[in-house]
Amino acid sequence: MIVGAPLFTAPKLATERTTPASASAAVTPETVGAGDEDSNALSRLDNFVESAALSRKAFAEDRLKHLKERMNTLSLFNLAPGFLAGHTARMAKELESAATDFASAFKTLAGLEQPANPDTATDGAVLTAYLDVMADDAPLSARMSPEDAETAASFMNTAYHLRGVVELISDDARDSANVRRSADSTRNTTDHVMTIMARLEGPSVFNKTFW
């Protein structure tokens, strides 16, 4: 009688995968090029801010051009003092708005041109600098180009002409309350325009008259 031997299955040896010692130092998507991403983000911000400032500056210059054309056209007509005074006050407000946009764009572009110090600058400091250029004061080292100086002088001369118009009207209509209010508004607004332009670099850049 043949006695069958019981089936015996040899246990399988478990195969362990060893983890390379360098695995803990593996580069992850979060760490790959983190510095490059920050640099690219700042570069994109730089380009965006510069493009927006250039567009704003060009729009302000265009508004100034059209405003001067309107003033030249109005000078051809003998308009009633009341109408002319009110219209002059409105044009002065338009000039003030354009001057504010031009000055803001100039300060932004001047701030972007300031050299960075790679030894001390940090990402936070750079981002703060982008916000600082939107402030009211231009960087101390900012210098106007001849073209910008010409535009600034043209803003000031336009304000001066508007101021002259209401002074002439005031002499001819001293008893009109509406004319006086419009004249006072134009005086205040044109004074502000001259102040805005003078603060960009100072009166020394306005030695020439541009109209």
Side-chain angles (χ1 to χ4, degrees):
M1 180 176 177
I2 301 175
V3 179
L7 296 175
F8 176 78
T9 302
K12 294 181 180 180
L13 297 177
T15 303
E16 295 182 359
R17 290 188 178 180
T18 59
T19 302
S22 60
S24 60
V27 179
T28 64
E30 289 77 10
T31 60
V32 172
D36 292 339
E37 291 181 1
D38 291 341
S39 177
N40 291 337
L42 291 176
S43 178
R44 289 194 297 269
L45 177 60
D46 191 331
N47 293 336
F48 173 79
V49 172
E50 181 180 15
S51 178
L54 288 172
S55 297
R56 190 177 188 184
K57 182 166 165 285
F59 182 55
E61 293 170 347
D62 190 59
R63 292 165 69 190
L64 172 63
K65 176 183 176 181
H66 287 292
L67 188 60
K68 292 194 296 184
E69 291 175 352
R70 287 168 53 194
M71 291 175 60
N72 290 332
T73 301
L74 287 175
S75 66
L76 301 176
F77 301 94
N78 186 19
L79 301 174
F83 173 83
L84 186 57
H87 199 68
T88 301
R90 288 190 292 273
M91 287 193 295
K93 289 293 185 182
E94 294 178 28
L95 180 67
E96 180 184 33
S97 177
T100 301
D101 284 345
F102 175 83
S104 177
F106 168 79
K107 294 168 188 175
T108 300
L109 293 170
L112 292 176
E113 293 172 358
Q114 300 308 299
N117 186 346
D119 296 330
T120 59
T122 61
D123 292 344
V126 174
L127 290 173
T128 302
Y130 279 110
L131 299 177
D132 289 343
V133 298
M134 309 305 289
D136 291 336
D137 295 329
L140 294 178
S141 58
R143 291 294 178 267
M144 300 191 81
S145 67
E147 294 78 12
D148 287 340
E150 179 177 343
T151 302
S154 186
F155 269 108
M156 295 187 76
N157 287 328
T158 304
Y160 179 80
H161 278 268
L162 289 172
R163 177 71 172 264
V165 170
V166 297
E167 296 299 349
L168 291 175
I169 297 174
S170 298
D171 291 338
D172 296 335
R174 296 178 181 177
D175 297 332
S176 173
N178 290 333
V179 170
R180 288 198 301 271
R181 282 194 296 269
S182 296
D184 289 341
S185 174
T186 301
R187 292 187 187 100
N188 294 334
T189 304
T190 52
D191 283 347
H192 188 213
V193 171
M194 294 181 184
T195 300
I196 291 173
M197 293 299 112
R199 283 179 176 173
L200 291 182
E201 189 173 352
S204 60
V205 301
F206 307 122
N207 294 328
K208 295 181 179 181
T209 299
F210 301 97
W211 175 248

